[in-house]
Amino acid sequence: MTAPSTTGNRLNKSHRLSIAGVTAAAAAALTFSLIPGNASAEGSGKAVAASTSASTSTAPVAFNSTTGGTQAAAIQKSLAKQHSMADRIAEIHAKQDSAEAKAKAKAKSDAKADAKEEAAAKAKKRAAAKEKANRSADRKPTYANNLNGWIKEALHIMKKEKIPGTYEGLHRNIMRESSGDPKAINNWDINAKNGVPSIGLLQVIKPTFDTYHVKGTPHSQYHPVANIVAAANYAADRYGSIDNVDSAY
């Protein structure tokens, strides 16, 4: 908090002292102007007493002396001039105080505006970062259309579905079952003789594929990613993980 200015108080005090001094001088001059020039000391004392008594009376005082009236007029003129100067100084200081108050108010307003602008910029930056994160989360990763890409995409889905398995486990079993051919089909084993041949990268029969198919993948045994995820889901249920499979399953 800023300490209140004492300039106005000092001016008022000086002003009062000045006026008081001049008023005293005026009173003295007026008193002596009432004393006749040929009066004795004793008479002067009586005149002073009479003058003092008259100054406190409500009756008007008549000035018969030309010299006294001139002095009183000069004193009144001086008082009026000093009043005018004091008022002018007070006016100047009032204008300065007003200018300072306006400057402080403007600085405060500018500070608030800057703080508001900074807060808005930070909020905009946070919103942009959040939007970018959401776009990144919603954006589906792209994978190569080959065995490496199929395994990576399958692992991405398996992670979301909490199906265990690693790249090594999937790749090892795929190479043993189909040599990496998504169109591979077994037409000679017992499953084929029963009318449900093993199909795809991990050689899954249709009943198993239908039971362990993962929603969101194509419902086709020949689809490489759907085949891998369904087989890994089946292996997790029966063996704990596709990584634990080392032969026909």
Side-chain angles (χ1 to χ4, degrees):
M1 180 181 293
T2 304
S5 173
T6 59
T7 304
N9 291 334
R10 290 199 300 270
L11 286 173
N12 290 337
K13 185 175 180 181
S14 299
H15 188 189
R16 287 197 299 271
L17 290 174
S18 175
I19 293 172
V22 175
T23 302
L30 289 173
T31 299
F32 284 110
S33 70
L34 293 175
I35 301 173
N38 59 351
S40 64
E42 181 181 357
S44 296
K46 292 179 181 179
V48 170
S51 176
T52 303
S53 175
S55 66
T56 58
S57 173
T58 57
V61 177
F63 296 97
N64 296 321
S65 173
T66 303
T67 303
T70 302
Q71 290 176 346
I75 291 170
Q76 288 178 348
K77 184 176 180 181
S78 176
L79 282 173
K81 184 176 181 180
Q82 291 190 35
H83 273 291
S84 177
M85 290 178 64
D87 290 343
R88 178 57 180 162
I89 292 172
E91 182 182 352
I92 291 172
H93 280 277
K95 288 182 179 180
Q96 290 176 342
D97 291 343
S98 177
E100 289 177 2
K102 288 181 179 179
K104 289 179 180 178
K106 186 177 184 304
K108 188 175 181 181
S109 177
D110 291 344
K112 285 184 177 180
D114 291 342
K116 186 176 181 180
E117 184 178 349
E118 184 178 356
K122 288 182 178 179
K124 185 177 180 180
K125 188 175 181 180
R126 287 194 298 268
K130 185 177 181 181
E131 184 179 354
K132 183 178 180 180
N134 290 337
R135 286 200 305 267
S136 178
D138 294 338
R139 189 184 300 117
K140 185 178 179 180
T142 57
Y143 301 96
N145 188 29
N146 54 33
L147 181 58
N148 181 60
W150 300 331
I151 294 175
K152 287 184 177 179
E153 185 174 355
L155 285 169
H156 177 75
I157 297 170
M158 288 164 61
K159 182 178 180 180
K160 289 197 301 182
E161 299 295 329
K162 296 181 173 55
I163 300 172
T166 64
Y167 186 99
E168 187 278 330
L170 292 173
H171 187 270
R172 171 167 41 83
N173 282 284
I174 288 171
M175 296 308 293
R176 186 190 65 252
E177 294 292 331
S178 66
S179 298
D181 181 7
K183 296 181 179 180
I185 183 170
N186 186 326
N187 289 314
W188 53 267
D189 66 2
I190 187 63
N191 291 319
K193 292 178 181 179
N194 291 332
V196 283
S198 300
I199 295 174
L201 290 174
L202 283 170
Q203 293 293 282
V204 183
I205 61 174
K206 189 171 186 341
T208 301
F209 179 83
D210 291 343
T211 301
Y212 291 96
H213 171 258
V214 175
K215 187 178 180 180
T217 62
H219 201 94
S220 169
Q221 290 169 266
Y222 289 102
H223 190 280
V225 175
N227 187 283
I228 293 172
V229 175
N233 194 22
Y234 162 72
D237 186 39
R238 185 167 182 180
Y239 303 102
S241 170
I242 190 69
D243 294 350
N244 299 329
V245 178
D246 290 307
S247 61
Y249 63 109

